[in-house]
Amino acid sequence: GCPAAGCTLEEIGLRRRTGANVLNVVRGDGPLPGIDGGTRLQEGDLVVLYGPHEAIDRALDLFGPRPAGELADPDSGEEEIR
């Protein structure tokens, strides 16, 4: 599984470690309301990221290996948690 699944956004420290920002987390049919550092990621969550390409690449690397084609639109900054 993904090293991010089961961790909170604060524990992952995405902005501090990569420079990317989490705009939202989509779970099931829609975005989670009011995400913050205490939001715990679950397998299958879609994390919406914002930042320069280099920061997005570093952030995606934290989520684990990405199979080819896993990211529907490489410029979207969305990554599914596995």
Side-chain angles (χ1 to χ4, degrees), residues 14-71:
L14 208 61
R15 186 180 320 154
R16 176 180 47 78
R17 293 171 65 185
T18 70
N21 293 296
V22 176
L23 295 181
N24 214 323
V25 176
V26 178
R27 183 174 296 154
D29 292 335
L32 297 179
I35 64 161
D36 59 19
T39 301
R40 189 168 302 279
L41 297 178
Q42 297 179 4
E43 189 170 327
D45 283 353
L46 183 71
V47 178
V48 182
L49 302 171
Y50 175 80
H53 287 284
E54 298 81 14
I56 299 297
D57 286 342
R58 286 189 298 268
L60 295 178
D61 287 342
L62 289 180
F63 291 123
R66 297 180 305 254
E70 184 70 25
L71 194 58

